[in-house]
Amino acid sequence: MGGQHPVSLVTDRDKAMEGAIMRIFPNTRHHCKWHILSRCKQKLSDVYLKHVTLKRELKECINESETIKDFVTRWEYILDKYNLWDNSWLQSLYEICRQWATVYQKGTFFPELSASRRSESLNKFFKKHFNAKTSLLVFISLFDQHLASQYEKEAQADFTTVYLKPHLRTPSPMEKQAGDVYTKAVFDKFQEFVESLGYYVGKIEVDPISRYSVAKEEDNHRTYIVCFSESDKKANCSCCKFEYSGILCWHILRVFFVVGVRIIPEEYILKRWTRNATSNVVLEERVIDPGLSFQEQLIAWYNDLCLDAGKYGMEGAISSDIYKIAKVALQKAFAEVAAAKNMQRKGQQNMQRFARLQNMQYKMPLPKLQPKNTPGRVAQQDEANRTKRSAKDDSVDASNSHLNGDTH
């Protein structure tokens, strides 16, 4: 994860896994909606047979509730209508509704996969092709084939995006901009914006930020609130679709048409949904927790470099020419790392030598330092020596005179 907790995490509903996620990733949103919906078929099979409308109403309750109050009202209505208050499985689901009800996930980026992609998920792939008796060799062979098939489908989708011109439904410059920028799959979703033409817009407040109520002509009881700032052309909607999926909702698009915004502002175009999503790959400098031990930091650094190495390999293994360029750059980088390690090693060796010298100075007596002779000091020493010689000579003369006097 590059030293960062994931924003969202999808798992099957498992008690042990739930506890581990809460402990290790306390700020991560845990989702299990797909698992919940798939288990409904099994847990409510008898009720589904008796009431054909139950499945549709449950999905609407889970996916289309706009507010928490709306969700609770729909849920209680279903329990009343189908006499399911005593169903223990539904009661246990309601206790963890924050993990699967869409209304609780607003504001958290979590774009859902389409039904076709969901059917191709690894979960169904494993159930279809493997069981407890499948040998390891068969598993590896089939799994490699599945990955190759997925890569081929991605390549076909890339080809379609690059070489096929999108079909425009309107002369709107916003639709043309979306067709030029988005991938085909995302543009097909965005192109549903024509539905926004069927929404009625009413202004509620003005300045400093305008508020608009947006509702369908035939469905006035469901109203969405869009806030729009004229100064920076920013908008947000009570449905939170952009925060959730990264694609603008019909309500904001309808307000844009009303206020005269003719193209999508750049901040509302996520690079991950564009044709250039895989270009200009930048290796991020990930934050390492300073509280880790040195051994744990080594593991984190290693994992970080391995993650970047994988990206580098994918970008460099496209063609023979690009491979050669990538190889030369990698050899140069490797040489720089080796040189840096040698410099660090020499620096550590010098520090160790310096430390040993300091220890030796403390253990051995230091020699006395002789004063340095300067011209002034030399002159003073010479004068002192002359004075001593003169005094000595005077003493000798005095002794000689005394001896001569005794003789006479």
Side-chain angles (χ1 to χ4, degrees), residues 6 17 57 65 85 97 165 195 204 218 284 295 356 391:
M17 196 174 295
E57 291 183 5
S65 297
W85 282 100
C97 60
K165 189 175 180 180
E195 297 286 342
I204 302 175
E218 67 278 7
E284 300 176 357
Q295 188 65 29
R356 286 198 295 269

Side-chain angles (χ1 to χ4, degrees), residues 207-377:
D207 292 335
I209 296 179
S210 301
R211 297 177 73 242
Y212 297 86
S213 63
V214 183
K216 277 189 176 182
E217 294 285 354
E218 67 278 7
D219 191 13
N220 289 329
H221 73 278
R222 181 175 296 182
T223 302
Y224 304 89
I225 303 300
V226 175
C227 298
F228 175 73
S229 174
E230 180 66 34
S231 58
D232 54 12
K233 308 299 182 186
K234 289 186 177 181
N236 61 76
C237 180
S238 59
C239 75
C240 297
K241 180 182 178 181
F242 178 77
E243 290 79 4
Y244 187 76
S245 66
I247 302 175
L248 285 174
C249 61
W250 301 338
H251 323 115
I252 290 180
L253 293 175
R254 186 71 180 105
V255 171
F256 277 172
F257 291 147
V258 171
V259 299
V261 177
R262 294 292 178 256
I263 61 174
I264 308 172
E266 290 186 3
E267 58 264 31
Y268 296 113
I269 300 178
L270 299 190
K271 184 178 179 181
R272 67 184 301 143
W273 301 141
T274 66
R275 298 166 178 260
N276 301 322
T278 58
S279 65
N280 301 323
V281 176
V282 178
L283 301 182
E284 300 176 357
E285 183 176 352
R286 298 172 182 85
V287 179
I288 305 299
D289 186 358
L292 298 178
S293 66
F294 181 70
Q295 188 65 29
E296 290 172 331
Q297 287 183 340
L298 289 178
I299 296 174
W301 294 333
Y302 175 81
N303 291 337
D304 184 30
L305 289 175
C306 287
L307 184 62
D308 288 339
K311 294 181 180 179
Y312 188 83
M314 293 177 65
E315 293 297 317
I318 296 176
S319 67
S320 174
D321 293 337
I322 295 177
Y323 165 76
K324 292 177 182 178
I325 295 174
K327 191 70 174 179
V328 171
L330 189 61
Q331 290 172 344
K332 181 179 178 181
F334 192 84
E336 292 178 355
V337 171
K341 286 178 63 178
N342 291 333
M343 289 184 62
Q344 186 181 56
R345 189 180 297 110
K346 290 180 181 179
Q348 292 174 347
Q349 292 173 352
N350 291 335
M351 290 295 294
Q352 292 173 356
R353 294 193 190 99
F354 181 73
R356 286 198 295 269
L357 289 174
Q358 282 188 322
N359 292 333
M360 291 175 62
Q361 289 179 359
Y362 284 119
K363 293 178 181 179
M364 297 177 60
L366 297 176
K368 292 184 178 180
L369 298 178
Q370 298 295 331
K372 187 176 181 180
N373 292 331
T374 60
R377 185 180 294 274

